[in-house]
Amino acid sequence: DVKVTQSSRYLVKRTGEKVFLECVQDMDHENMFWYRQDPGLGLRLIYFSYDVKMKEKGDIPEGYSVSREKKERFSLILESASTNQTSMYLCASSFRDREYFGPGTRLTVT
Amino acid sequence: EDQVTQSPEALRLQEGESSSLNCSYTVSGLRGLFWYRQDPGKGPEFLFTLYSAGEEKEKERLKATLTKKESFLHITAPKPEDSATYLCAVLSNYGGSQGNLIFGKGTKLSVKP
């Protein structure tokens, strides 16, 4: 069974803090993704990576960066958290076009 | 521009009352259409992949169908545990070899006993 784990289920940070969200998958998948999910807006792609050290911008990359130093780990970084980044963050990995999602991190920025 | 629209936004059913959820799409070359179920506060859980018009997939009380313009998720005799948000996503050929996965906003299904 594919497993995608995220470092935290709930996170509360202050405006201006640097925030790291970690995602790990255990199935040697090449592709990994970060989404955010907001009511009424659905899932929106922030960044994705198709190989170690490779990254591509998604639809809403502003205010975010990513890091993929190892195949199994994909990190999302909020350089200076803002209140409009309060959201549910979902990580996914994919194999044969099918995406497997982690449990999500509910981030609140105050 | 590629688009995915799900309807209705919310659906309330009585237990045993069958119905269908709709996912209509316009994409430049369909590679696959996916249905996911998402429970509150959790990540989406994969249900089905459909690749070509006329294809159907079934799992317990759920059946997904695909035409060239839309997909339906039919729910037969639903139970309260089927309550969830159902997401449709379309993978198009736009964006090179990785494709471009576009999600609909979901249909929130509530099944009352």
Side-chain angles (χ1 to χ4, degrees), chain A:
Chain A
D1 231 13
V2 174
K3 194 156 188 181
V4 179
T5 57
Q6 295 183 228
S7 50
S8 306
R9 291 300 309 277
Y10 300 95
L11 210 52
V12 180
K13 295 292 181 181
R14 292 191 180 276
T15 301
E17 277 193 81
K18 191 168 186 176
V19 182
F20 292 86
L21 302 182
E22 302 283 337
C23 175
V24 178
Q25 50 96 1
D26 66 355
M27 284 303 291
D28 204 36
H29 290 170
E30 292 182 345
N31 300 329
M32 295 188 74
F33 308 82
W34 274 107
Y35 294 89
R36 64 178 283 178
Q37 186 175 33
D38 301 286
L41 296 177
L43 273 86
R44 293 180 291 168
L45 182 64
I46 305 171
Y47 267 97
F48 66 96
S49 168
Y50 51 87
D51 203 351
V52 175
K53 296 192 185 293
M54 306 299 284
K55 61 185 178 184
E56 293 283 345
K57 292 180 180 179
D59 299 320
I60 51 163
E62 297 79 19
Y64 303 95
S65 62
V66 290
S67 172
R68 187 136 182 235
E69 297 296 318
K70 293 185 179 182
K71 194 173 187 179
E72 67 270 19
R73 190 180 298 269
F74 192 34
S75 303
L76 181 69
I77 303 153
L78 285 67
E79 297 291 342
S80 177
S82 63
T83 55
N84 62 13
Q85 292 178 310
T86 291
S87 185
M88 170 71 118
Y89 288 87
L90 290 161
C91 173
S93 68
S94 76
F95 178 68
R96 291 184 180 173
D97 292 341
R98 176 184 154 184
E99 292 195 8
Y100 300 80
F101 284 87
T105 296
R106 172 74 62 186
L107 172 67
T108 302
V109 183
T110 62

Side-chain angles (χ1 to χ4, degrees), chain B:
Chain B
E1 185 182 333
D2 295 345
Q3 261 189 326
V4 178
T5 304
Q6 290 188 247
S7 61
E9 289 184 16
L11 182 62
R12 291 186 176 185
L13 300 174
Q14 288 295 128
E15 184 171 2
E17 180 187 2
S18 301
S19 188
S20 297
L21 283 54
N22 178 263
C23 172
S24 63
Y25 63 90
T26 53
V27 294
S28 50
L30 178 71
R31 276 173 55 169
L33 185 142
F34 305 82
W35 282 99
Y36 288 86
R37 170 194 169 122
Q38 187 175 25
D39 293 301
K42 295 186 177 180
E45 177 187 336
F46 172 81
L47 292 173
F48 303 109
T49 307
L50 301 166
Y51 291 105
S52 57
E55 192 174 357
E56 298 182 352
K57 294 272 179 75
E58 277 189 78
K59 181 180 178 181
E60 296 179 353
R61 294 176 293 282
L62 300 176
K63 179 179 176 181
T65 61
L66 180 65
T67 72
K68 289 186 178 179
K69 293 184 178 180
E70 59 191 350
S71 176
F72 291 95
L73 185 65
H74 306 279
I75 303 176
T76 303
K79 298 182 177 182
E81 53 261 42
D82 294 323
S83 297
T85 295
Y86 291 86
L87 300 172
C88 170
V90 170
L91 184 66
S92 75
N93 285 319
Y94 176 78
S97 61
Q98 304 304 320
N100 184 34
L101 187 64
I102 305 162
F103 280 86
K105 294 180 180 178
T107 293
K108 185 175 181 180
L109 174 66
S110 300
V111 182
K112 302 297 182 185

